[in-house]
Every structure is written in C-alpha cells, then in structure tokens.
Amino acid sequence: MSAVIIDGKAVAASIREEVARDCAALRDQGLSAPGLSVVLVGDNEASALYVRNKGRAAERAGIAFQLLQQPSDLTSADVLRLVGDLNDDASVDAILVQLPLPPQVDSRAVIEAVSPAKDADGFHPLNFGRLAEGSPGVVTPCTPQGCMELVRRYDVPIAGRRAVVVGRSTIVGRPLAAMLTNADATVTVCHSRTPDLAGVCREADILVAATGRPGMIDERFVKPGACVIDVGTTPTPDGVRGDVDRVSVEPVAGWLTPVPGGVGPMTIAMLLRNTVALAALRRRAPVSA
Ligand code: NDP
C-alpha cells in the first residue's frame, strides 16, 4: 500500500476560485471589492516574497490589495499608529501584519491592536479565544485552517479518531489542536519535551508535524494507514524540506501531504477566504466560505 498524496495545489486553486466567485457576487450586488492591507516592516527577503505572493493571489481573486512597506527602524508606537489608521479606514476589510517584526517592535501588542473584525490572520486573542471555546468566528488562523480543509476534502475521518499534533506554536500547533478538538477528534499536543514522541505519534490516526525539523518524522512515528500532514517548510541547499521523511513514510501512511505542494499553497488560499469572509460580514452579504 502507498499513501494517497494530498494535492494541496489543486485544493488551494479550487478555494481561490471560490473566493473569486464570492468577490464577483459582491460586485454583482453593487458592493465594493474586499480590501486587504498588508503591513511589511523591514527588508526580510522571505517575508517580502510571501507578501508578493499574497498580493498576486489576492488581486487575481478580485481583492483590492494594499501593501504598506515600512522601514526597518519603525518603533512599536509607529506600527501601532499605522494599524490604528487601518482599523479606522472604512475601505479596509482585513489587516495582516507580516511576521516576524523587527526585534524593537512589540509583536504581541501589534497583534492585539488589530481590530478583531479586520483580523485577516485570525491571530487576535479574541478570535483565538472563540476558537478555543469551540465557537470560532468567521476567521481562524490560515495554516491550520488549510490543514483542516485538506483533511476534509480528502474525506479523512476525524470524529472519534486520535489526532497527534507535534508542535505547539500559536500560529500552527495550538489552533490546529483546537480545530481538531472542535471536529470531535481526541487530540494530543506534543513538543520538544514530550517523552517517547515516536510512541505517542504511532497512536495517531491523524498525525500533524509542525516542528521545522526536516525529516524527523519517519516510519517509526507512523501508524499504518494514518493521515500524515506535514506543515514543516525548511529551506535547505536541496530545496524546501518538510518535517516528514517521505521516502520511509509514504509506504506506511494512508494519506500524506507533500512538501512542497501540500499545506504551503493552502495558507494563502485561506488568507483570501478570511479576507472575503470579513468583507462579507461588514457588508452583511452571504459568501460560500
Ligand atoms: P515554532 O518554531 O514556533 O514551533 C515549533 C514547535 O515544534 C515547538 O512547539 C517545538 O517545541 C516543537 N519542536 C521542535 N523540535 C521538536 C522535536 N525535536 N520534537 C518535538 N517537538 C519539537 O514553529 P512554527 O509553528 O511557526 O512552524 C513550524 C514549521 O511549520 C516550520 O517549518 C515553519 O516554516 C512551518 N510553517 C509552514 C507554514 C506553511 O504555510 N506551510 C506556515 C507556518 C509555519 P517547544 O514548544 O517545546 O519548543
């Protein structure tokens, strides 16, 4: 048996089409296009590339994209002022502050300053709290939302199954554990202090790796037939690598997301979906998301 390879590129493309239809439907009702504003502070090359890709995808879907490129010596107060202006700007539906911010900027304060009603990333504590309570609002963090969408679109059973999430970051591991719990899985969250990690992972029907340790999840961590979601993306001299050792895991797993082409393309697709959902809510219009 060999795992079904989950095609994140194809699923992301179909979500982008849904978003484009939603944008067209807003236009047909005489409503303005959803507006996404991205704040990019400094000249981190990887961040600039992510933001360019986000902008291109947004514009193709019919979202009005605005990039606020800022110098790297901005203070926390400068960034907070900028976010405040975007909160007050009626043409802006969704705000994303690209992370990481330079060290002198208080990232936590900035995330909390974004209006929860314009929180494109779903990182605001109010939105995270709603998710943790089991009653998420219209936005949830993009990468874990993308993982859930892949699992659902491939009809992987979730309710009543064991899920193990390796990694407890606020952008991936923790929100994904909440989403899996809300979908009635029995969830274990692991991290660098978890003893017998391979043994715990082998209990999983759904195993998510989000550590940034290339190739650390091999066949010893995988129950035969499990769905293995590889969130890891680590640049190496041989290209981007995931956390999963595909060569040894593919013959054992039931489903597997490749890197690249698995979870990665979903993150931007879910950002577009969050943007259109926030815009529709502000315009009191229905969308497919
Ligand atoms: P963080 O560095 O914030 O978190 C990594 C987590 O992995 C931590 O909880 C850490 O444990 C845990 N961990 C690290 N090493 C081990 C180990 N040997 N055994 C068990 N647990 C371990 O990373 P992120 O969550 O931000 O990102 C994780 C990966 O996902 C990265 O490769 C990142 O590039 C990728 N990513 C991909 C995205 C995409 O769009 N495809 C989007 C976001 C992230 P502890 O808490 O104890 O330190």
Side-chain angles (χ1 to χ4, degrees):
M1 198 182 81
S2 187
V4 170
I5 300 301
I6 293 180
D7 187 347
K9 267 193 195 162
V11 176
S14 83
I15 290 168
R16 288 199 306 268
E17 276 168 25
E18 286 166 23
V19 169
R21 278 198 296 275
D22 284 334
C23 290
L26 290 175
R27 265 199 316 275
D28 291 348
Q29 294 168 62
L31 299 168
S32 57
L36 169 64
S37 291
V38 173
V39 178
L40 176 61
V41 184
D43 45 18
N44 179 313
E45 238 175 74
S47 293
L49 177 66
Y50 292 143
V51 167
R52 266 202 306 280
N53 291 339
K54 287 169 183 172
R56 245 195 315 263
E59 279 166 357
R60 279 197 196 126
I63 290 170
F65 179 79
Q66 179 192 28
L67 171 60
L68 296 143
Q69 168 90 59
Q70 304 297 310
S72 57
D73 60 355
L74 239 56
T75 64
S76 290
D78 295 329
V79 183
L80 291 173
R81 204 171 309 114
L82 197 59
V83 167
D85 290 346
L86 294 171
N87 284 340
D88 294 340
D89 184 338
S91 71
V92 174
D93 295 295
I95 303 166
L96 183 153
V97 180
Q98 183 66 42
L99 302 175
L101 287 163
Q104 78 277 10
V105 179
D106 181 347
S107 301
R108 176 52 40 205
V110 170
I111 288 168
E112 291 185 12
V114 172
S115 162
K118 294 190 175 188
D119 178 25
D121 261 333
F123 289 164
H124 190 282
L126 184 77
N127 287 321
F128 186 83
R130 285 184 176 144
L131 173 66
E133 282 177 351
S135 52
V138 297
V139 290
T140 54
C142 302
T143 301
Q145 193 190 145
C147 295
M148 293 300 289
E149 194 71 30
L150 290 178
V151 170
R152 290 205 173 99
R153 294 214 182 195
Y154 276 77
D155 294 323
V156 176
I158 308 175
R161 303 305 161 109
R162 289 289 308 269
V164 172
V165 179
V166 190
R168 55 176 165 180
S169 72
T170 50
I171 64 167
V172 187
R174 286 172 200 259
L176 185 54
M179 290 174 193
L180 287 161
T181 303
N182 294 346
D184 297 325
T186 300
V187 183
T188 303
V189 178
C190 301
H191 44 76
S192 63
R193 307 288 295 274
T194 301
D196 185 21
L197 183 65
V200 178
C201 289
R202 264 199 318 275
E203 291 175 8
D205 301 303
I206 299 171
L207 174 62
V208 182
T211 68
R213 303 281 178 271
M216 74 166 269
I217 302 291
D218 62 24
E219 83 280 12
R220 293 168 303 153
F221 292 65
V222 179
K223 173 169 151 179
C227 174
V228 181
I229 304 291
D230 189 355
V231 182
T233 47
T234 306
T236 75
D238 304 324
V240 173
R241 286 198 61 202
D243 293 351
V244 174
D245 172 39
R246 180 169 173 175
V247 173
S248 74
V249 168
E250 192 173 334
V252 180
W255 297 264
L256 175 63
T257 63
V259 176
V263 174
M266 295 297 290
T267 299
I268 291 184
M270 302 332 269
L271 170 69
L272 305 184
R273 182 191 264 183
N274 276 354
T275 299
V276 87
L278 291 169
L281 192 66
R282 291 183 72 227
R283 292 161 183 67
R284 299 180 199 285
V287 286
S288 62

